């Protein structure tokens, strides 16, 4: 099994729908992250969590929310999806030093 | 805001040649990391260099860091077709505790 598992792998949804992207990790790390990747823009941080009770906004958190259900699980929600949230979404985890992030395979989300 | 920013390059080289890509950043850092991304896949950590290091090697990878110029370079020697990927630098920003990624360099190695 992969160290970081993201579901679904691909999703097409309609504008205005609520959607949840899920992430689980088996690394035993406390830190988890959600990034968004757009062509030509690299990866941008949406939210991050340093432990179950610690949730922080990243640089582009508007329109997104997260839930840290357990040390191993960190989900990302789009409350009301809009077309410009079409992107590739990555979950990652790291140790407490933030060295060598481990990424999931990504969720390709299309909002139509 | 993003700290790591690669020179906007798309390299196309022949197998066996060396590939060099650069990264610049804006603030002080604890470390700088390089990642590889194969098409549409998750990023894979390649190498880390700390702010008090100037050069580091790992297999065919050589990373340099110039903190006075706030820049880093990644050299891949004797490239292989399997090195075809996008390469990203990422910085932690001193005291920031989270990585900011650059826009990536696409490298195509022609067999």
């Amino acid at each position: 099994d992969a160290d970081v598992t993201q579901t679904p792998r691909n999703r097409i949804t309609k504008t205005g729908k609520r959607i949840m992207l899920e992430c689980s990790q088996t690394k035993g790390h406390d830190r988890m992250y959600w990034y968004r990747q757009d062509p030509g823009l690299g990866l941008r941080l949406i939210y991050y969590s340093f432990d179950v009770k610690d949730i922080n906004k990243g640089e582009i958190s508007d329109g997104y929310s997260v839930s840290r259900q357990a040390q191993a699980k960190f989900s990302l929600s789009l409350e009301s999806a809009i077309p410009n949230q079409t992107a590739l979404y990555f979950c990652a985890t790291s140790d407490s030093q933030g060295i060598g992030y481990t990424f999931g395979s990504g969720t390709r989300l299309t909002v139509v | 805001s993003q700290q790591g920013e690669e020179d906007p390059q798309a390299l196309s080289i022949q197998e066996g040649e060396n590939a060099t890509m650069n990264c610049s950043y804006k603030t002080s850092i604890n470390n700088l990391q390089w990642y590889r991304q194969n098409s549409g896949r998750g990023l894979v950590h390649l190498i880390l260099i700390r702010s008090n290091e100037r050069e580091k090697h790992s297999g065919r990878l050589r990373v340099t860091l110039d903190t006075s110029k706030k820049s880093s370079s990644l050299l891949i020697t004797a490239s292989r077709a399997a090195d075809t990927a996008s390469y990203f630098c990422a910085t932690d920003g001193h005291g920031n505790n989270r990585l900011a990624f650059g826009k990536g360099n696409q490298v195509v190695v022609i067999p």
Side-chain angles (χ1 to χ4, degrees):
Chain A
D1 289 342
D3 292 327
V4 179
T5 301
Q6 291 185 236
T7 57
R9 288 298 309 278
N10 294 281
R11 181 73 182 267
I12 299 174
T13 192
K14 294 184 177 181
T15 297
K17 293 291 188 181
R18 184 179 188 274
I19 183 170
M20 178 181 289
L21 309 183
E22 298 188 355
C23 175
S24 63
Q25 53 101 354
T26 58
K27 299 284 287 186
H29 291 161
D30 286 327
R31 297 188 175 192
M32 297 187 73
Y33 313 84
W34 275 103
Y35 284 88
R36 158 179 180 161
Q37 185 177 30
D38 298 275
L41 294 180
L43 276 75
R44 293 180 290 169
L45 183 63
I46 306 172
Y47 270 96
Y48 61 103
S49 170
F50 284 173
D51 66 43
V52 174
K53 297 182 180 180
D54 177 74
I55 304 289
N56 303 281
K57 293 182 177 181
E59 57 181 310
I60 55 163
S61 59
D62 287 349
Y64 301 94
S65 63
V66 291
S67 173
R68 186 79 185 268
Q69 300 95 325
Q71 184 201 40
K73 296 184 182 296
F74 191 37
S75 60
L76 175 72
S77 294
L78 286 68
E79 297 302 326
S80 179
I82 56 177
N84 76 0
Q85 291 177 313
T86 293
L88 188 54
Y89 289 86
F90 287 104
C91 175
T93 186
S94 77
D95 63 17
S96 60
Q97 303 300 312
I99 293 172
Y101 284 24
T102 301
F103 281 81
S105 296
T107 293
R108 188 170 296 279
L109 177 67
T110 303
V111 183
V112 298
Chain B
S1 62
Q2 292 206 70
Q3 296 190 53
E5 294 189 13
E6 295 82 9
D7 284 354
Q9 295 185 58
L11 297 175
S12 183
I13 58 175
Q14 295 290 326
E15 201 166 32
E17 294 180 338
N18 296 341
T20 300
M21 58 210 84
N22 300 302
C23 166
S24 61
Y25 57 92
K26 295 184 173 66
T27 67
S28 60
I29 60 172
N30 289 318
N31 64 70
L32 184 145
Q33 305 180 36
W34 284 90
Y35 288 78
R36 182 188 73 232
Q37 183 184 33
N38 293 97
S39 180
R41 309 288 293 178
L43 280 72
V44 174
H45 180 253
L46 294 176
I47 192 167
L48 174 148
I49 187 165
R50 298 186 188 279
S51 60
N52 61 352
E53 297 176 312
R54 291 298 168 259
E55 185 172 314
K56 201 162 184 181
H57 297 253
S58 177
R60 294 184 296 113
L61 303 179
R62 172 177 170 256
V63 173
T64 63
L65 179 65
D66 186 335
T67 52
S68 67
K69 295 181 179 179
K70 291 186 170 57
S71 67
S72 174
S73 67
L74 172 67
L75 168 67
I76 304 173
T77 61
S79 63
R80 305 167 181 169
D83 295 327
T84 294
S86 293
Y87 293 84
F88 294 83
C89 73
T91 55
D92 66 340
H94 194 73
N96 193 304
N97 288 319
R98 57 195 188 270
L99 290 182
F101 287 82
K103 295 179 174 58
N105 274 296
Q106 186 173 9
V107 175
V108 176
V109 181
I110 302 166

